[in-house]
Each structure stands twice: as structure tokens, then as C-alpha cells.
Amino acid sequence: MPKKLKSQRRKKGKSLGDSEHDDTGFGDVDEVEILSEDHTVADDASFNSFYDDFGGDAENGAAAEDGAPDTQSRAEISAANRHNSLLEALSLASTIPSEKRSVKREQYLKRLFKAISQFAAGPPGQEAVLSRVDDAILPACKAGLRAGSAKPAEQYAACRVLEVTSVIIGHDQDDYVESIEQPLRLVIKGTHRAAVVRGAALRALAMTHFICGADESGTNSVLNLCEEVCAPQYRGEDVSPCLRAIALDCWALLSSTVADAYLAGDEMEEDLGRGLVILPLLSTCLNSSNMELRCAAGECVALIHESRLNLGIDEDEGENASERRFRRGELFSIFQLFPKNPYKKINELMVTSGCFSLGFSLPNK
């Protein structure tokens, strides 16, 4: 009897019709993907050894052997070598979609990330990256985001490449925003994917809208997604504290681009600012045992509080602005809006961080 195809074999504990499908539609998902929270795109080679990977250590010797003229400065030689390394990494990236081995694709993506982040500064590097976005960078990253064929480390590297690319290409790049929006959202919504990968995708999406996007509705849509992901549960699954912290970081980043009234609002009006709406959630995050989540929530509270102070300062009150902001107890007026004023928790956090040494104090409650 001929053997069944691997895709037709029944997995242990499941019937043939019980396979789970990924949101991307790229294949079946057998189990939740796992990747260490400490994982970084520079696992195999640090930035200090970056020149070794690209042959940068030999640039001076190569220049001497080629008989470089004395008038050509070392800086010019170094800049030329860096640009060549960038072009080489972009060329390798174009081969990623056809590469069968996930490990090799991951190596190429890491190399591309390092090249863009370190060798693409300045107009020549930016032009080189812009010229290869559609035919090299985007196809390579989309191939790296495919569930089933791509391992979590490869997916993470692809997200980091998209993030750093948004920084290099700059503002008013709506086509780039539109091209990566859907793939990144599918990664973020995939609860079976590693939390670190989902967090990297959310960072890339937020950074892209922050730098490249000009559509206010798109920013609001990502803010809504951040608020959903930072909840204790998302799509029926518990959310990792590290992913919740990343969601709050992204929320704070994008909230810095919206008007103070939209963020902080006025508690006397019918429509509260979106920052005031999530105060109960931030209150629970401040009581979390995860330090990163507590820090992210604290930064969001500080941002909301700053917006509320800005709404209360008129132009003719500029002379007393600093005094109003930093007088005793004013720093914590935002907590009057919490369901339960967490003065005790704030007191503990301040003692832990040493804020009392800076002269801050809590009101007597």
C-alpha cells in the first residue's frame, strides 16, 4: 500500500478535519510558536563585530594595496565600502523569496537589517533603499512573515527590517504604509504566533504610521489595535505581559501625534479623550508584577497628564506654566480620575525608582 502524503496524515490526538488554519492562509498551524523574550535580531553577531561580517576590517589594507591616492580620505573610502555593503545586502534580499531554507532566509534578513540600520544613512543610502523597496525589501519581508514555512526567528527579523526601513525612507510614503499594513496586522492578530514576533510586528506597524503615514484615520486605527492588544485577553487568549507592554509603548508613541483634546479630553464633556477611557486598564497595569508593563503604563499616564495640563494652560498664563505643572501634588492630579486612586502603588514605585530624591512628593490621601 502506498504511503499517504505527509499533509494527509492524521496528527496525534486529532482527526483529519481538525487542522487549525493560520489567519494568513499560508498553511496549517500545529502549535503555538515560541521565541525567547530576549531574542534580538543581532543574536549571532553584535554591532561591534559588524565590520567582520561585511569585510570592513580590511578596508584600510585593501585601499593601500589598490594604491589609493593620498588625496582620497579614509572617510571617503569607508563611505564607499559601506555603500557597497548596503547594495550587496539588498541584492541578497532579492533572493530570499526563492530560498528554501528558513535559516538562510533569516541570515539574509539579519544582514539586511544591519545594512539598512548602519549603512543607509545619508542621501545615497536612502536612495538605494527606496529604489529596492518594491522589488527586494517588501518581497523578502513578506516571505519571512509566512506562517508554516517561516520560523519565529525569521518572522521577527522580517518585522525588524520593515521597521528600520520606515525610518530610512522617511515621511509621506503612503504606498509603503499600505503595502505592509495587512501582512503586519495578520501577524499581530495571530494568537498562535510567538509574543515577541507579534510585538515586533506591532512596533513596525506603529513606527511606519508614525514616520511614513499622513492619514489620521490610519493612526487612529493602530491606536485602536494597541488598546485591544494591551488588554489582559485578546481574541479569547491571554496576552503576554511583554506584548502588552509593547502595545502600550506603541500607543504612547502614536498618541504623541494627536491633539491634546483628543487624547485627554475634558471630564466635564460627554466625549472623553481616548486616554481617559483606558485609565482603568492602566490602573491594573500599574499593579502588574511585570516591570516592563508597569513602566509602559506609567509612561502612558504621564503622557495623558501632560496633555491635560496643556489643555488648561492659556497663552496669557505662560509665566506661571512651570509653577502650575510642578507644584506639590499637581503631578498626580490625573489619578483623581482613576476608579481607585492608586496613591499607594505610585508611592511604592517612586520609592523603588528613587523619585523622592528629585523632590517629588505625594498629596496626603
Side-chain angles (χ1 to χ4, degrees), residues 153-182:
E154 180 186 347
Q155 299 171 29
Y156 178 85
C159 293
R160 295 304 309 275
V161 170
L162 292 175
E163 179 184 356
V164 74
T165 300
S166 68
V167 177
I168 295 299
I169 64 178
H171 60 87
D172 293 337
Q173 298 289 340
D174 290 332
D175 291 341
Y176 179 76
V177 176
E178 183 178 355
S179 63
I180 70 171
E181 178 93 17
Q182 190 64 13

Side-chain angles (χ1 to χ4, degrees), residues 54-73:
F54 288 83
D57 287 336
E59 63 182 18
N60 294 332
E65 293 176 1
D66 294 340
D70 295 336
T71 56
Q72 187 176 16
S73 67

Side-chain angles (χ1 to χ4, degrees), residues 15 52 67 75 134 187 203 259 347 361:
S15 64
D52 294 338
D134 293 330
V187 174
R203 285 186 187 277
N347 190 12
S361 60

Side-chain angles (χ1 to χ4, degrees), residues 50 53-55 80-97 99 104-120 125 128-129 131-133 135-141 161 164-165:
F50 187 44
D53 296 338
F54 288 83
N81 288 336
R82 290 197 300 269
H83 189 71
N84 290 335
S85 297
L86 173 63
L87 297 179
E88 182 181 349
L90 289 170
S91 178
L92 287 174
S94 63
T95 67
I96 291 178
E99 175 60 49
K104 204 67 175 180
R105 295 195 302 266
E106 179 190 351
Q107 291 176 354
Y108 288 167
L109 286 170
K110 286 184 174 182
R111 183 168 182 173
L112 180 61
F113 171 81
K114 294 176 183 178
I116 295 176
S117 62
Q118 295 205 4
F119 295 161
V129 172
S131 65
R132 301 303 303 273
V133 166
D135 67 335
I137 297 177
L138 287 178
C141 293
V161 170
V164 74
T165 300

